[in-house]
Amino acid sequence: MAALKNWLCSTNPVCLVHPHGFFVVPVDRTEAGDWRFHFWPKGERPIRGMPAFIHTHDRHVDSRILTGQLTNITYDVASAESDGLPLYEVGYGGDRYEKSTPNFLVKTSTRVGVRPMNTETLVTGQHYRVDRHAFHEAQVSESLCTATLVWMHSRTPGSVKVIGCDGYPDRIEFTRTDFAGADLAKLLPA
């Protein structure tokens, strides 16, 4: 964490605030994959847009807990009749790491039912993997601050999906807020 804080202060990268209230810092991007630092500060994390946490990725996600605690839940998701939840697809109007890039969710005609398959609570030093196109949710208690180093790799075709909530528009668009890396370093634990 000390090395990470020093790097944030010396390079002052542009960090993005995810719509679910945690910070995303692009660390390195190569053809092989993207390295990212994620940070959930202690306290309330305001949600922008729809509070829909169950989602997929179009690549494998390998994540190591640097500090704090995180619960990763994987889900079995199946088509459902009218009693299910709406399924959204995620789109980006360009580079997802650029603040000005519009991000959008588009409701599909599919409704789904979800059932937790595996719940794993991880602490500092532990790691977990989410296979591409698998539905999962990462939960971090507001009573903790948690930091992870994430490698997203081995991309395959197919859209990123989010299990939505009823009562929201068919299309939800937003841009991510930027935040200075040096300011983020001040929020990290010693």
Side-chain angles (χ1 to χ4, degrees):
M1 287 300 292
L4 187 56
K5 283 179 88 162
N6 288 338
W7 177 78
L8 287 167
C9 288
S10 65
T11 62
N12 196 26
V14 173
C15 309
L16 299 174
V17 181
H18 189 279
H20 291 156
F22 65 92
F23 295 90
V24 177
V25 183
V27 176
D28 190 31
R29 298 173 72 186
T30 68
E31 289 295 318
D34 296 346
W35 286 95
R36 297 171 17 168
F37 171 67
H38 291 175
F39 180 67
W40 290 261
K42 188 175 182 178
E44 183 180 358
R45 301 177 198 113
I47 296 171
R48 292 187 16 235
M50 182 172 45
F53 299 100
I54 302 171
H55 63 283
T56 66
H57 298 276
D58 61 357
R59 56 197 82 197
H60 294 313
V61 176
D62 288 297
S63 184
R64 177 169 300 278
I65 313 302
L66 301 177
T67 190
Q69 179 177 299
L70 179 148
T71 299
N72 183 57
I73 306 169
T74 55
Y75 291 88
D76 179 42
V77 175
S79 292
E81 299 298 322
S82 59
D83 61 339
L85 296 168
L87 184 66
Y88 284 76
E89 290 187 348
V90 179
Y92 303 96
D95 184 344
R96 74 173 91 187
Y97 296 115
E98 294 290 328
K99 173 194 169 193
S100 60
T101 298
N103 297 248
F104 50 90
L105 301 175
V106 178
K107 188 189 290 185
T108 69
S109 60
T110 303
R111 294 184 71 81
V112 296
V114 299
R115 182 177 57 88
M117 290 188 337
N118 187 46
T119 300
E120 184 178 24
T121 299
L122 303 118
V123 297
T124 303
Q126 294 183 306
H127 68 279
Y128 67 97
R129 170 179 261 207
V130 177
D131 291 330
R132 58 186 168 226
H133 302 296
F135 283 92
H136 90 110
E137 171 184 13
Q139 295 180 346
V140 175
S141 169
E142 289 183 351
S143 67
L144 300 172
C145 68
T146 295
T148 62
L149 184 61
V150 180
W151 184 38
M152 303 178 77
H153 61 95
S154 305
R155 184 178 183 180
T156 59
S159 61
V160 173
K161 295 179 174 60
V162 171
I163 297 177
C165 305
D166 286 320
Y168 285 85
D170 290 350
R171 181 180 172 95
I172 302 168
E173 189 167 319
F174 53 90
T175 55
R176 297 181 186 206
T177 306
D178 63 350
F179 198 84
D183 290 336
L184 178 58
K186 296 172 189 171
L187 300 178
L188 300 183

